[in-house]
Amino acid sequence: MKSICKSFPGVKALDDVHFSIHRGEVVGLLGENGAGKSTLMKILSGIYTPDSGEIQFEGKNVTLNGPKQSQNMGISIIHQELNLLPHLTVAENIFIQSLPKKGLKLDRKKLFSEAQKLLDDLGFDIDSRSLVEDLTVGTQQMVEIAKALSFQSKVIIMDEPTSAITEQEAAKLFQIIKTLKEKGIGIVYISHRMEEIYEICDRVVVLRDGCNAGEGDSKELSPEQIVNMLAGREMSQIYPERAKEHGDRVVLEVKEFTRKGTFEDISFQLYEGEILGFSGLMGSGRTEVMESIFGSTSINSGQMWIENQEVKIKSTRDAIKYGLALVPEDRRHQGMVGEFTVTQNITLSTLKKFSGFLQKVNFRKERETAESYISQLKIKTPSGDTVISNLSGGNQQKAIIAKWLESKPKILILDEPTRGIDIGAKSEIYQIMLELAAKGTSIIMISSELPEVIGISDRILVMASGKITGEFKKEEATPEKIMLCATKGV
Ligand SMILES: Nc1ncnc2c1ncn2[C@@H]1O[C@H](COP(=O)(O)OP(=O)(O)OP(=O)(O)O)[C@@H](O)[C@H]1O
Ligand SMILES: [Mg+2]
């Protein structure tokens, strides 16, 4: 790709960018949220047309008119935003563009058996007959991966493929990447996780504000050099120091929460101003426990107290009334209104605060609040009036988190809060979490990133197969100890 330029209203997303990939090479494409990574790759996969620039494939100039053409040429993409059709089965999603037919009718037997074979060969434990809507985000991501691998590709683009899967599944994916590489397939790998880049990439290419900011052999670049290219500045400490110890008053107590087949006997206490980390593998039941505390799903047995008062939360409305807030894992579907502006999304859950006499919204105040989050979290957007779905993936995440931070709940539950967010903005989110905690908000954070859980929590509970299998104070937690508990009985 040579001299690629692409503008959207109010943003120059790519400015004279060059990019290349060889047979059998794994190239890490890096950059902060909004740097232009997905846009560049959407151009390569025929989804966007560049304003100017040239693309050569196997030595020939090509014009890519649409994704189909790009795919036929041998370029496939695993999208950052999951693109599956929720009401169809896994198998139908995988073969959507070339469904096997028997005469004019769909050959269901062949469809399911071929899809199952593909999944089994990849070592993915997924039933090809399941409906996509019944799968967790992580499993959906694995279906996307299987789908991209079902084409005869020469170049496979993976846009943050590990953002929702566990370390174990990621290890499986890396194994697959190695095999693909040996077959001569080129892989573009987008990720915000530095360790992964070192593990699998031969070369890294860094974008910053839509321009090339540097590239090099991954073995020859130090993490500091890469971070410097990413941000154009030195990064100080990622995990901010905790200024104040948490209180000793119990704010939330959960006792023997059980939902048959999902989790069992979950008991814990949460203190005022505490940050309690929930670690574990995907599918260990963490999200489900939080959903039941928040009243979006029910339990078979168990009790719960908020500030020493027994409460029975039957709906999310009850939960909000008791001062709970939950930032869901699947933020794109559960957390935002795509056609609303950034400002409207940030102030969505707190509109009441901005409404005065006769429910009239105070637009000035609404705007000021949104602006302060936009600058604090460095949300990259032309303005607060931009429609949120036009933001880059990571910047959408930041806006949705801002919404919940603004609701200033008594108990804030965050499910994988920094997934897909660049290092700089992660640090800002940690800072805000600490500030909220210092003001007395109690926080539960589910995170699959061990350095993050250890770096930010006061205390860590580990779950495996629906049970709590370990508890550590910040000082005693190590990645090894946590992993040991996380894999107990798995
Ligand atoms: N369809 C669109 N309409 C308007 N602006 C867009 C559109 N797609 C991307 N942009 C803008 O282009 C810029 C680059 O976005 P892009 O999605 O390529 O970033 P990214 O590097 O993939 O970031 P992230 O790490 O957050 O996924 C951003 O400022 C984004 O808001
Ligand atoms: Mg992106």
Side-chain angles (χ1 to χ4, degrees):
M1 304 179 82
K2 290 185 190 164
S3 305
I4 303 289
C5 293
K6 177 77 185 173
S7 292
F8 295 107
V11 222
K12 187 146 197 186
L14 295 171
D15 186 2
D16 199 21
V17 171
H18 53 87
F19 180 83
S20 66
I21 181 159
H22 299 83
R23 279 176 58 86
E25 187 185 31
V26 183
V27 179
L29 180 58
L30 312 184
E32 294 196 325
N33 295 131
K37 306 176 296 292
S38 297
T39 304
L40 187 66
M41 289 304 118
K42 282 180 182 162
I43 289 175
L44 187 56
S45 46
I47 296 160
Y48 290 159
T49 318
D51 300 337
S52 61
E54 265 177 43
I55 302 176
Q56 289 184 348
F57 193 71
E58 301 189 309
K60 289 192 208 69
N61 275 337
V62 291
T63 321
L64 301 170
N65 297 313
K68 195 100 192 181
Q69 193 196 344
S70 188
Q71 205 157 65
N72 290 341
M73 234 166 60
I75 300 171
S76 63
I77 181 164
I78 300 169
H79 283 285
Q80 180 176 15
E81 313 85 34
L82 298 174
N83 260 348
L84 302 172
L85 300 165
H87 309 305
L88 297 184
T89 60
V90 168
E92 285 163 316
N93 268 284
I94 292 178
F95 293 118
I96 191 86
Q97 281 159 22
S98 54
L99 290 168
K101 296 259 169 68
K102 212 188 216 160
L104 284 174
K105 281 213 333 239
L106 177 68
D107 186 346
R108 296 183 70 82
K109 215 172 132 205
K110 191 165 168 207
L111 171 73
F112 291 123
S113 67
E114 285 196 359
Q116 199 60 55
K117 182 167 183 312
L118 177 71
L119 293 164
D120 294 347
D121 286 350
L122 292 169
F124 293 175
D125 182 19
I126 303 171
D127 182 352
S128 69
R129 293 170 185 270
S130 323
L131 286 182
V132 163
E133 64 188 355
D134 295 336
L135 305 177
T136 61
V137 186
T139 314
Q140 290 187 21
Q141 199 157 39
M142 299 180 68
V143 174
E144 277 269 359
I145 293 169
K147 181 177 170 185
L149 298 179
S150 74
F151 303 112
Q152 292 298 326
S153 306
K154 292 173 180 162
V155 172
I156 300 180
I157 301 160
M158 305 188 172
D159 196 347
E160 303 195 29
T162 54
S163 61
I165 63 181
T166 62
E167 307 217 345
Q168 279 183 330
E169 288 159 339
K172 228 180 264 171
L173 177 67
F174 295 165
Q175 211 49 55
I176 295 168
I177 291 178
K178 284 189 186 123
T179 322
L180 295 171
K181 187 175 143 80
E182 279 158 21
K183 287 190 191 151
I185 294 169
I187 291 161
V188 186
Y189 192 86
I190 301 180
S191 172
H192 291 287
R193 297 190 187 169
M194 200 70 90
E195 319 87 71
E196 298 185 347
I197 300 300
Y198 280 106
E199 189 172 344
I200 55 164
C201 298
D202 302 307
R203 189 158 58 92
V204 296
V205 173
V206 182
L207 296 181
R208 184 167 72 232
D209 293 331
C211 301
N212 286 97
E215 61 176 273
D217 199 323
S218 58
K219 283 186 206 67
E220 285 160 16
L221 290 172
S222 68
E224 291 73 31
Q225 281 173 308
I226 294 182
V227 170
N228 272 343
M229 284 189 218
L230 284 170
R233 57 184 141 82
E234 301 277 335
M235 270 293 297
S236 53
Q237 213 180 345
I238 296 177
Y239 301 106
E241 285 295 327
R242 172 116 213 195
K244 193 175 141 202
E245 290 295 306
H246 67 77
D248 47 15
R249 201 162 60 87
V250 174
V251 175
L252 171 75
E253 174 158 11
V254 171
K255 198 169 167 208
E256 292 164 4
F257 257 43
T258 299
R259 183 154 107 231
K260 292 206 182 81
T262 315
F263 52 80
E264 204 184 308
D265 235 347
I266 302 294
S267 301
F268 67 89
Q269 294 178 322
L270 174 70
Y271 295 93
E272 181 176 28
E274 183 184 33
I275 300 180
L276 177 62
F278 263 75
S279 188
L281 303 178
M282 185 182 80
S284 57
R286 297 168 300 169
T287 296
E288 289 77 4
V289 169
M290 295 312 150
E291 284 172 350
S292 69
I293 291 174
F294 195 60
S296 47
T297 56
S298 60
I299 46 170
N300 297 107
S301 59
Q303 283 171 287
M304 177 165 134
W305 291 263
I306 290 178
E307 307 203 299
N308 289 325
Q309 260 222 319
E310 183 163 7
V311 293
K312 294 215 185 320
I313 292 181
K314 293 235 170 10
S315 66
T316 56
R317 188 180 303 205
D318 286 349
I320 292 167
K321 204 174 67 198
Y322 286 116
L324 283 150
L326 173 91
V327 182
E329 180 180 28
D330 182 7
R331 287 186 275 275
R332 195 173 299 276
H333 295 113
Q334 299 177 26
M336 77 178 202
V337 185
E339 47 287 1
F340 278 20
T341 66
V342 176
T343 299
Q344 286 166 335
N345 270 284
I346 293 178
T347 55
L348 203 59
S349 63
T350 42
L351 258 192
K352 260 212 188 104
K353 257 203 281 197
F354 305 104
S355 319
F357 186 55
L358 294 176
Q359 302 293 311
K360 196 171 165 324
V361 177
N362 182 340
F363 289 109
R364 192 179 52 82
K365 227 166 115 199
E366 184 191 20
R367 185 173 305 257
E368 277 171 11
T369 306
E371 290 299 332
S372 90
Y373 280 101
I374 290 172
S375 76
Q376 217 180 339
L377 293 178
K378 303 191 178 66
I379 299 175
K380 198 172 173 233
T381 175
S383 82
D385 299 329
T386 304
V387 171
I388 196 168
S389 50
N390 284 345
L391 264 52
S392 79
N395 283 297
Q396 294 179 6
Q397 302 270 28
K398 291 192 221 170
I400 295 157
I401 288 175
K403 170 177 97 172
W404 289 105
L405 296 176
E406 174 53 23
S407 77
K408 302 203 171 66
K410 193 154 62 186
I411 299 166
L412 175 63
I413 306 173
L414 300 163
D415 199 348
E416 304 283 2
T418 66
R419 171 187 297 160
I421 287 177
D422 70 49
I423 300 180
K426 271 186 182 173
S427 190
E428 304 298 334
I429 288 175
Y430 301 144
Q431 190 64 53
I432 294 184
M433 284 169 66
L434 284 181
E435 280 165 22
L436 285 176
K439 285 184 198 141
T441 300
S442 305
I443 300 176
I444 295 177
M445 177 186 69
I446 298 182
S447 167
S448 299
E449 276 188 53
L450 290 178
E452 169 173 282
V453 181
I454 296 171
I456 200 76
S457 315
D458 297 313
R459 187 160 57 101
I460 299 157
L461 294 177
V462 188
M463 280 186 70
S465 307
K467 295 200 185 85
I468 292 179
T469 52
E471 173 171 353
F472 302 98
K473 289 208 191 75
K474 188 189 183 90
E475 315 77 76
E476 46 182 43
T478 64
E480 294 74 28
K481 286 190 204 165
I482 294 179
M483 276 320 280
L484 207 62
C485 296
T487 48
K488 238 179 230 171
V490 177

